[in-house]
Amino acid sequence: MYQQKRNRILRSNPSIRNLVAETTLTPHDFIAPLFIDEGENILHEIPSMPNYYRRSLDLTVKEVKELYSIGIKSILLFVKAKDDTKDNTGKEAWNKNGLMQRSIKAIKDACPEMLVMTDVALDPYSSYGHDGIVKDGEIINDETVEALVKMSISHAEAGADFVAPSDMMDGRIGAIRKGLEENNFTKVGIMAYSAKYASCFYGPFRDALDSAPGFGDKKTYQMNYANRIEAIKETLHDVEEGADIVMVKPALSYLDIIREVKNAVHVPVSAYNISGEYAMIKAAAKMGWIDENKAIIETLTSMKRAGADLIATYFAKDAVKLLG
Ligand code: PBG
């Protein structure tokens, strides 16, 4: 017999809507990416990322303390390397006194409880703007992996809690894990950018670090956005090699991938709400075409609903304030 269903009962007022909400955001979900520059007292707004800044280390430390005080407990560091330190080997990446290494130390000294994660890839240090070493116009895998291991160890030495390889070379997670073990860094975690797609939405980030590829594109290492099964293959390899957390990147156009990865693995899944996703919301809001605050919460909720346990986002601070 036909039974009248009253589905709207569960949507009839805020109390019941909140009571039955399947997904909730909390400040603990967020990783705040930070862009660091040389110098002092520098606060440089990134043109394609309004209200997001590249800061000198002194101001970064202040920002980290503020983030911690509002409930954000993890950050992901990126540095802008000086042009005269860049070469094809990327060796500035494991300079003990490099900007990244100094930043990790200063931040851990100032705010020891803050979980410090660091980007591991050669692009900010590469004269070619590629994530790996270039030979005869190609990005070569195994020598790059050796460089990434050195880079990861130097971050661990400086005090990083997690290294986050974003390069998409083959075998790097296993090699980094082995390198950390051999150097007694048994407490350093690996957040692997496991399914990272070759995306046009990284544009504003490359402005922020002046790290756009000097030739070609990143399609021989980052994934083809037409593919889904390949994301699972990549992620399973990373878990097997020792990744503690896996990541899908970008997030918004890849919510299906986040869900599939979440169903396929038994480690926490992270989503990276990337620079172009930030820029789109900022631009539309500036035009008065969407409500920025609502768009922030709706998109972040969609990532969590898709299966992200944690989200790296330039909106971390805004979101915490909005969640109030
Ligand atoms: C570097 C790296 C990139 C991002 C994070 N790490 C850029 C790229 O791969 O070209 C993008 C982040 C963003 O767009 O917010 N390997």
Side-chain angles (χ1 to χ4, degrees), residues 259-289:
R259 170 47 57 187
E260 290 236 15
V261 164
K262 175 69 181 164
N263 290 344
V265 299
H266 296 113
V267 297
V269 175
S270 172
Y272 199 140
N273 178 207
I274 61 159
S275 59
E277 297 167 359
Y278 178 90
M280 284 196 290
I281 288 182
K282 284 290 185 184
K286 191 171 169 197
M287 295 298 285
W289 291 343

Side-chain angles (χ1 to χ4, degrees), residues 280-318:
M280 284 196 290
I281 288 182
K282 284 290 185 184
K286 191 171 169 197
M287 295 298 285
W289 291 343
I290 58 165
D291 179 317
E292 177 173 344
N293 292 342
K294 288 181 177 163
I296 292 171
I297 297 301
E298 184 173 335
T299 50
L300 290 172
T301 303
S302 75
M303 291 164 208
K304 202 163 172 202
R305 187 196 64 230
D309 300 291
L310 39 144
I311 305 169
T313 176
Y314 305 101
F315 286 123
K317 214 168 154 183
D318 303 280

Side-chain angles (χ1 to χ4, degrees), residues 6 8-9 33 38 46 57 83 99 122 131 183 217 243 300:
R6 293 291 183 187
R8 289 180 57 195
I9 289 171
E38 294 282 5
I46 296 146
L57 182 50
D83 279 344
L99 180 57
L122 297 185
D131 289 24
N183 288 275
D217 52 39
L300 290 172

Side-chain angles (χ1 to χ4, degrees), residues 237-252:
H237 285 177
D238 285 356
V239 171
E240 224 172 273
E241 291 179 31
D244 300 286
I245 300 173
V246 295
M247 186 194 275
V248 175
K249 178 182 176 184
L252 271 187

Side-chain angles (χ1 to χ4, degrees), residues 119 123 131 166 196 202 205-206 218 222 249 275 314:
D119 189 68
D123 50 332
D131 289 24
S166 67
K196 177 170 176 178
Y202 302 144
F205 172 96
R206 294 174 187 170
K218 297 191 175 187
Q222 299 178 349
K249 178 182 176 184
S275 59
Y314 305 101

